[in-house]
Amino acid sequence: MAAPLLRIDNLTVRFPNTEPVSRLSFEVGEGETLAIVGESGSGKSLTALALMQLLPRSAKIPNGRIEFAGKDLLGLDQKAMRNLRGREIAMIFQEPMTSLNPVLTIGRQITEVLTLHEGIRGKAARSRAIELLNLVRIPDPQRRIDDYPHQLSGGMRQRVMIAIAVACRPRLLIADEPTTALDVTIQAQVLDLLDTLRRELSMAVVLITHDLGVVAQWADKVVVMYAGRKVEQALPDALFRTPLHPYTRGLLAASPRLKTNLHYRDARLTEIPGSIVSAAGEKGCPFRPRCTVARDSCAHFVPALVEVSEDRLVACPYSFIPEVAHGAALGL
Amino acid sequence: MALLSVSDLSTHFHAQGGTLRAVDGVSLEVGRGETVGLVGESGCGKSTLGKTIMRLVDPTSGRIEFNGTDITVLDARRLKAARRNIQMIFQDPFASLNPRHMIGDILTAPLKVHGIGNKAERRKIVEDIVQRVGLPGDALGRYPHEFSGGQRQRIGIARALILNPELVVCDEPVSALDLSIQAQILNLLVDMKRQLGLSYLFISHDLSVVRYFADRVLVMYLGRIVESADNATLWTSPQHPYTRALMDAVPDPARRRQAAPIYGDLPSPQNIPNGCRFHTRCPLATDLCRSQEPAFRAISPGHHVACHYAEPTLN
């Protein structure tokens, strides 16, 4: 098998008082979409920033390795990293309004990237920018190129962000909650666009999201994070059919779905009690304080990730016990 | 008689570039003990509708009746009295609590405003509601920043319920919360409804949540209700192409990488399309749709649709 495009190995991100990412490992193959799913505080966004080496100054990476196309990113100097960012690895963020510069036209913001990374200027840059706006399906790009961000809708702004991100045909795109601020109809359009570009540009995508529906529909592989750790990894089908970790099972049980007949008059939603804050300072399994199947031993050690089948990892020693797998956490 | 009855309500704003018709002729009812879900995209006017019903924004025309009283025309004093029975829960639990006030003060304020009880009685009411919504007993002496998002939303709910209202307008009450917390808050809202006999107008962009939570659903598009039906009917036989598009846009594990159901953005409420207001994005639009606005008509008992091509639902 070919080497993966991106390999994160045993990565830890540490701030003076906390460790928001602990011993995280995963791989992304060429042209693959990997979804990282978790709630606020799970460390998913900091993982992305670590990858881009855009962590705040107070953050340290005491151990771990980030390997992209065979290069060790943590060993690169600032200049080499700047060259890579935007050219080979690009990123889009949740809120397109705050990530775009409000006082520059969108055309200027796209050509800036082309000039910086590819030395394209003037008319050539402008016509390439129009091509890019066309690529991200912005109607009437010749006119829109001179618009300022505030003249565009939220969906259009996210398309502009995507145009900037793919301007240099990166091999990896990191999308951090790219559709969270958008309506479902617009979300469907943007995810459809991202996937089309992934195919056309043979680009790998790391999709960071809290939305399980998005994961199910668009990911090739899923990593579930909780309090800085990977608790489960699976192919989407398997994850939704037989979630193993009590947290994953809890999440799936807690989400109301359009296709089920669950109604408040007949049934309560299954809650995950407490909040992620309870993981702070936990010596054992970070999910223990909220887990419905926790045992005494869970307080003493952090469960290891175990490969239970091909493409399937889970960090809970009790998730294979049949009565646990089919029972408690689902409230059945 | 319905608890809340809104007829032909419009809220227009005068802005640069012309009149913005945020709410443009809406009629709806919320019955006693009923939960009515109001869904639509951002910019469709659903929050403005909620605020107009609360009389936080003045309507341009139309009528809002609560318990048979026309509250569109009340003076300030009588409006205050009416508000005791209509309360609101907001989306952002961070922005809707004053960071300088302790929880005890936040919860006591409505009681003071309405002159309820003496100091000791107020204290008892506050302690009771804090316990009901599942906040820790020591919450009263603490400030909002000391609580997580889910806990803050519990505080917002406690504040809305402390006057024992009949109707609560919930404006996206779980949208800002993590999935694992959403279920806790939805369950709490159901418990409160059962214990206190509340009626809800539940505004949300999240169809899955409305699917679970509403007895009846209204779908809003560009200032108008385009479809209304009871919960079961709407999800099993949606008739308006917009309702169908909204439902198809919700990611579904069973359909991998499927194309977006509709293209384009919501048109500006300052420039509402002629004819059917959805025709610019409708995959089925005809010349009739481009020229003539469809009436909001009953196609079966309790099921109303504003589409020329809607067909009666079979039960």
Side-chain angles (χ1 to χ4, degrees):
Chain A
M1 204 180 96
L5 179 66
L6 174 74
R7 202 168 87 205
I8 298 216
D9 191 22
N10 213 18
L11 178 77
T12 296
V13 176
R14 190 173 292 159
F15 285 94
N17 300 315
T18 55
E19 200 174 280
V21 180
S22 300
R23 303 189 166 273
L24 179 69
S25 304
F26 62 82
E27 293 179 354
V28 187
E30 303 260 3
E32 186 180 55
T33 300
L34 171 95
I36 303 182
V37 39
E39 57 194 287
S40 343
S42 63
K44 57 194 196 305
S45 292
L46 277 169
T47 303
L49 292 180
L51 238 162
M52 294 293 276
Q53 296 200 34
L54 292 172
L55 286 171
R57 270 169 204 277
S58 55
K60 296 275 173 297
I61 299 183
N63 57 271
R65 208 177 146 76
I66 303 175
E67 217 176 270
F68 174 76
K71 282 189 285 270
D72 177 13
L73 295 193
L74 295 178
L76 292 184
D77 59 25
Q78 291 261 2
K79 183 156 176 264
M81 195 59 214
R82 247 195 330 264
N83 256 321
L84 207 72
R85 248 187 248 128
R87 185 185 309 201
E88 293 196 52
I89 311 179
M91 183 160 177
I92 56 174
F93 302 87
Q94 173 173 346
E95 199 5 279
M97 192 62 211
T98 50
S99 337
L100 289 170
N101 188 330
V103 298
L104 297 180
T105 63
I106 59 169
R108 169 76 200 282
Q109 296 184 62
I110 299 172
T111 51
E112 184 181 20
V113 184
L114 296 168
T115 308
L116 191 69
H117 285 298
E118 303 195 343
I120 308 173
R121 285 163 212 284
K123 279 212 178 101
R126 188 176 165 89
S127 75
R128 178 91 179 94
I130 292 172
E131 274 173 44
L132 283 163
L133 290 177
N134 211 11
L135 182 72
V136 297
R137 324 273 193 274
I138 287 194
D140 203 3
Q142 286 88 346
R143 199 169 55 82
R144 283 299 192 177
I145 191 168
D146 296 315
D147 276 358
Y148 288 89
H150 77 267
Q151 293 170 287
L152 304 175
S153 66
M156 287 293 161
R157 277 181 218 138
Q158 197 56 291
R159 285 166 195 270
V160 171
M161 282 298 300
I162 294 171
I164 294 171
V166 303
C168 303
R169 296 180 154 261
R171 297 169 73 182
L172 175 67
L173 178 71
I174 303 170
D176 188 359
E177 302 270 10
T179 57
T180 305
L182 306 175
D183 281 302
V184 276
T185 58
I186 312 295
Q187 164 172 287
Q189 297 171 16
V190 168
L191 291 172
D192 187 14
L193 170 69
L194 273 179
D195 201 59
T196 308
L197 293 176
R198 178 189 63 85
R199 267 181 285 121
E200 285 173 3
L201 309 175
S202 35
M203 153 180 96
V205 176
V206 174
L207 179 65
I208 297 176
T209 178
H210 69 283
D211 187 329
L212 293 165
V214 168
V215 169
Q217 204 170 332
W218 301 97
D220 297 315
K221 195 161 81 182
V222 190
V223 166
V224 181
M225 281 184 79
Y226 187 79
R229 292 178 188 273
K230 176 160 88 175
V231 295
E232 185 160 1
Q233 177 179 319
L235 302 181
D237 259 8
L239 190 79
F240 288 88
R241 213 173 321 117
T242 48
L244 290 178
H245 197 281
Y247 175 61
T248 319
R249 290 208 304 273
L251 273 186
L252 284 170
S255 15
R257 304 238 200 106
L258 208 51
K259 299 285 158 179
T260 58
N261 288 324
L262 199 62
H263 194 252
Y264 82 94
R265 288 198 186 272
D266 318 314
R268 281 172 81 77
L269 293 172
T270 308
E271 291 179 18
I272 303 181
S275 82
I276 198 167
V277 178
S278 61
E282 178 62 41
K283 293 265 183 307
C285 172
F287 189 59
R288 185 195 59 84
R290 304 175 75 186
C291 185
T292 48
V293 296
R295 309 188 174 190
D296 292 345
S297 59
C298 301
H300 305 307
F301 65 96
V302 178
L305 271 164
V306 178
E307 187 162 6
V308 290
S309 56
E310 210 192 336
D311 297 315
R312 195 84 206 255
L313 295 163
V314 61
C316 174
Y318 303 117
S319 60
F320 329 114
I321 299 171
E323 79 253 61
V324 175
H326 296 117
L330 273 169
L332 297 174
Chain B
M1 184 183 63
L3 180 64
L4 173 77
S5 166
V6 169
S7 33
D8 206 20
L9 190 72
S10 290
T11 308
H12 296 173
F13 298 103
H14 296 286
Q16 209 179 7
T19 306
L20 191 155
R21 294 187 275 161
V23 178
D24 201 26
V26 166
S27 301
L28 65 89
E29 285 190 347
V30 179
R32 245 169 247 285
E34 195 182 28
T35 298
V36 175
L38 177 65
V39 297
E41 292 171 272
S42 351
C44 76
K46 56 191 192 303
S47 285
T48 305
L49 176 58
K51 285 181 190 156
T52 310
I53 289 168
M54 293 294 299
R55 291 289 323 273
L56 294 170
V57 173
D58 283 330
T60 310
S61 61
R63 195 177 156 88
I64 309 162
E65 267 180 46
F66 185 76
N67 255 337
T69 312
D70 183 353
I71 61 166
T72 6
V73 293
L74 293 187
D75 58 43
R77 190 176 53 82
R78 290 195 306 190
L79 183 61
K80 186 174 121 184
R83 279 220 179 105
R84 199 175 151 174
N85 291 314
I86 319 175
Q87 289 289 316
M88 190 159 185
I89 299 168
F90 299 91
Q91 170 171 2
D92 188 341
F94 293 80
S96 56
L97 299 174
N98 189 327
R100 291 160 186 271
H101 288 181
M102 286 192 291
I103 308 311
D105 298 332
I106 290 174
L107 295 180
T108 314
L111 298 173
K112 282 189 176 159
V113 166
H114 288 275
I116 295 166
N118 58 30
K119 205 170 172 189
E121 285 162 350
R122 287 200 288 263
R123 178 93 196 167
K124 203 179 157 296
I125 299 173
V126 167
E127 278 168 1
D128 175 63
I129 198 80
V130 159
Q131 200 209 345
R132 262 180 203 273
V133 300
L135 284 167
D138 64 351
L140 297 181
R142 289 155 67 189
Y143 289 93
H145 76 264
E146 297 176 63
F147 295 87
S148 66
Q151 297 284 62
R152 274 183 237 207
Q153 198 54 295
R154 288 178 197 267
I155 299 168
I157 292 171
R159 178 178 57 184
L161 300 184
I162 198 149
L163 292 169
N164 206 6
E166 291 175 89
L167 175 71
V168 180
V169 176
C170 311
D171 190 3
E172 302 271 10
V174 296
S175 310
L177 305 176
D178 272 309
L179 191 57
S180 77
I181 308 297
Q182 278 193 14
Q184 296 176 7
I185 297 298
L186 287 170
N187 281 340
L188 174 65
L189 288 172
V190 171
D191 293 343
M192 293 298 110
K193 178 188 167 74
R194 293 225 168 95
Q195 290 175 21
L196 308 170
L198 300 171
S199 309
Y200 289 127
L201 178 62
F202 188 87
I203 302 173
S204 175
H205 72 282
D206 188 333
L207 274 77
S208 317
V209 168
V210 173
R211 169 86 182 81
Y212 172 73
F213 200 71
D215 297 316
R216 204 151 51 79
V217 185
L218 312 172
V219 182
M220 192 165 177
Y221 188 78
L222 272 183
R224 285 257 169 108
I225 307 293
V226 296
E227 182 158 11
S228 86
D230 65 76
N231 194 39
T233 308
L234 190 83
W235 308 117
T236 52
S237 48
Q239 286 299 308
H240 201 285
Y242 179 61
T243 313
R244 287 198 215 123
L246 271 184
M247 289 171 63
D248 285 346
V250 176
D252 176 359
R255 294 169 307 177
R256 294 271 298 157
R257 303 210 152 110
Q258 134 254 10
I262 44 171
Y263 277 89
D265 287 318
L266 192 73
S268 160
Q270 278 179 290
N271 192 9
I272 291 176
N274 289 327
C276 171
R277 38 193 81 197
F278 185 58
H279 86 253
T280 55
R281 298 169 84 194
C282 183
L284 309 170
T286 63
D287 284 340
L288 176 65
C289 308
R290 284 181 271 273
S291 59
Q292 205 177 324
E293 176 145 29
F296 190 58
R297 61 197 167 95
I299 52 164
S300 357
H303 190 176
H304 292 72
V305 187
C307 173
H308 294 300
Y309 299 102
E311 286 175 16
T313 40
L314 303 168
N315 282 322

